[in-house]
Amino acid sequence: MSFNIGLSGIRAASSDLNITGNNIANVGTVGFKGSRAEFADVYAASVLGSGSNAQGSGVLLGDVAQLFTQGNIDFTQNSLDLAINGNGFFVTSNEGALSYTRAGFFGTDREGFITNNFGERLQGYGINQVTGQVNQGVQTDLRVDTRSANPQATTQIESTLNLNSTSVRPQPWQQAYDTYIDTNAVDPANPTPAEIAAAKGAAQGTFDPTNSATYNSSTSVNIYDSQGNQHVLTKYFVKTDANEWNMFALIDGRQVNLDGTLDGGGNLVGSNLLPTDPAFAPEPIPLTFNSVGELVGGSNTDLDFWEPLDSAGQPTGAESPAGFSLDLTGSTQYASSFGVTALSQDGFTTGELAGLEIDDTGLLVARYTNGQTKVQGQVVLATFANQQGLNPQGKTAWTQSAASGEPVVGAPTSGTLGSIQSGALEQSNVDLSEQLINMIVAQRNYQANAKTIQTQDTVTQTIINLR
């Protein structure tokens, strides 16, 4: 019996050495999870059970337990290198066969699918092409869309600025106003409201964007048409009275038709005229402030009737966006220098793919050369009720089994799932020092069990030699 006991001990020590050697061999394997040998004793038993003084019959390998503890995270230069900080596994598909891994070596194949080193496709949630939102719960192969980003026409400009309340009327404007009053007013010293309005109308014709003496201040912003062509909207401000200003809006230095008036040929009247054109007479947008400098009139203006032209003044074929508006809400008239305190517009030109980023919730975000970003999908993670029950398949991957239970799949950071670190890899969780000590212990156990067999052999030989 001692031979069998010693033999079982040798087999157990050999298994322990194999498991320890495998851990040591994979100490540099990304995403590898170390294992340990778990042994159990053996007792001989009959149908009626074993006696109270039963002797042991050796040892057996009860289980090879996988240790799913967190490995160290090392940072790399590849944004598609992914590490999981916490619980969960990446889900990969090999023509529909799913496997689960902690190894985050990912890149793209020639079709743009995100794959690991073995060509298995990373799973995630796709994007609803209508709403642009992540399709939560619909698992698919993640794919990087390398197409150019579509341009978006400007439909809203929001600008907050301050007009200097101490500014005086431009000299050409004042001269034209005075000339009209002196010439047409019944009593130039006390003109009527109608005469004042007429004089202001005559004075507004002195505005010339090429002559800075005809306006007080100006500011510009880039806007975009439906084809992504860039244009420049410039706003000019002319003080006309206390708490009153005229704003002129020109696009690419050309006047804009504000009321949509058409001529007999269906063309916008006075649209896109340059200052050199004799008919150039941009319509002013009146701005009114109250006694404490708050804008109370003219805060929102529609510029719907703009016709995009190229640098040569020819139609680009692009459409003027419907509902194009200029919002000055929050602007002020204080006794300080002119300045723009806030400016935004919602248009942009086309852009090429410049890079990819994956945040801690798994969102795959594409960056474009036009400064825009777009979510292209979301990486999913899976977890199991019994991780120890997963079947190891090699290549640092596991598959589901009856013992592991069904996978619970979801977005990173949801439920018990961990977060994702982009540009990083999780290293093996094997402690090399511990494994070297385990190897020495296994070697000692092997030698001790061999000694048991040797001693039993000596005893048996003694009995055989009896005469």
Side-chain angles (χ1 to χ4, degrees), residues 44 114 116 164 170 221 239 287 291 326 341 365 388 423:
I114 300 178
N116 63 12
N164 193 343
V221 60
K239 187 167 186 178
L287 303 179
S291 59
L326 174 59
T341 56
V365 181
Q388 299 286 339

Side-chain angles (χ1 to χ4, degrees), residues 117-145:
N117 295 352
F118 308 103
E120 299 172 341
R121 294 178 177 177
L122 181 64
Q123 300 297 287
Y125 297 141
I127 296 296
N128 186 310
Q129 297 303 318
V130 176
T131 64
Q133 302 298 312
V134 175
N135 277 334
Q136 293 284 350
V138 182
Q139 193 169 307
T140 186
D141 300 336
L142 284 182
R143 189 175 190 178
V144 177
D145 187 355

Side-chain angles (χ1 to χ4, degrees), residues 42-65:
V42 178
Y43 281 82
S46 67
V47 175
L48 299 177
S50 59
S52 60
N53 296 320
Q55 296 180 357
S57 299
V59 63
L60 59 81
L61 180 62
D63 189 22
V64 179

Side-chain angles (χ1 to χ4, degrees), residues 41-286:
D41 55 2
V42 178
Y43 281 82
S46 67
V47 175
L48 299 177
S50 59
S52 60
N53 296 320
Q55 296 180 357
S57 299
V59 63
L60 59 81
L61 180 62
D63 189 22
V64 179
Q66 301 172 88
L67 306 176
F68 288 98
T69 56
Q70 179 76 45
N72 292 330
I73 293 179
D74 289 347
F75 292 91
T76 69
Q77 300 299 317
N78 180 12
S79 62
L80 287 181
D81 284 342
L82 303 178
I84 302 173
N85 190 359
N87 191 31
F89 298 85
F90 296 114
V91 184
T92 59
S93 173
N94 184 11
E95 297 182 353
L98 299 181
S99 58
Y100 306 90
T101 182
R102 297 277 295 194
F105 286 118
F106 293 110
T108 56
D109 63 13
R110 64 182 182 180
E111 298 177 85
F113 289 102
I114 300 178
T115 62
N116 63 12
N117 295 352
F118 308 103
E120 299 172 341
R121 294 178 177 177
L122 181 64
Q123 300 297 287
Y125 297 141
I127 296 296
N128 186 310
Q129 297 303 318
V130 176
T131 64
Q133 302 298 312
V134 175
N135 277 334
Q136 293 284 350
V138 182
Q139 193 169 307
T140 186
D141 300 336
L142 284 182
R143 189 175 190 178
V144 177
D145 187 355
T146 59
R147 293 176 297 179
S148 300
N150 295 331
Q152 177 174 298
T154 299
T155 60
Q156 178 80 17
I157 300 175
E158 295 181 351
S159 179
T160 305
L161 47 85
N162 180 70
L163 297 175
N164 193 343
S165 63
T166 63
S167 297
V168 297
R169 298 167 175 173
Q171 185 176 7
W173 192 98
Q174 188 66 58
Q175 289 176 343
Y177 178 88
D178 293 340
T179 299
Y180 184 91
I181 292 296
D182 291 341
T183 304
N184 299 284
V186 176
D187 181 3
N190 188 25
T192 66
E195 292 170 339
I196 292 175
K200 289 181 177 180
Q204 76 182 29
T206 61
F207 167 70
D208 180 359
T210 64
N211 182 3
S212 60
T214 63
Y215 54 88
N216 297 92
S217 307
S218 66
T219 183
S220 299
V221 60
N222 292 330
I223 61 173
Y224 300 89
D225 61 28
S226 61
Q227 294 180 351
N229 299 305
Q230 179 177 297
H231 304 270
V232 179
L233 169 66
T234 305
K235 302 184 290 290
Y236 300 87
F237 301 92
V238 178
K239 187 167 186 178
T240 61
D241 210 336
N243 298 330
E244 294 181 5
W245 296 72
N246 277 343
M247 178 177 69
F248 296 89
L250 275 63
I251 298 179
D252 295 333
R254 299 172 182 270
Q255 72 181 42
V256 178
N257 184 310
L258 296 179
D259 56 15
T261 303
L262 301 177
D263 61 17
N267 299 311
L268 291 171
V269 175
S271 179
N272 286 319
L273 296 179
L274 289 168
T276 54
D277 193 298
F280 179 80
E283 183 179 350
I285 302 169

Side-chain angles (χ1 to χ4, degrees), residues 3 5-18 39 59 437-455:
F3 284 112
I5 293 174
L7 181 58
S8 70
I10 287 177
R11 287 172 177 167
S14 179
S15 297
D16 197 5
L17 280 171
N18 289 338
F39 299 105
V59 63
I437 293 173
N438 288 345
M439 185 168 59
I440 294 172
V441 172
Q443 179 186 14
R444 181 198 64 191
N445 293 341
Y446 193 101
Q447 292 171 335
N449 281 282
K451 194 65 175 179
T452 298
I453 295 175
Q454 182 183 13
T455 302

Side-chain angles (χ1 to χ4, degrees), residues 22-34:
N22 185 61
N23 288 340
I24 293 174
N26 286 282
V27 71
T29 302
V30 168
F32 178 79
K33 299 302 177 184

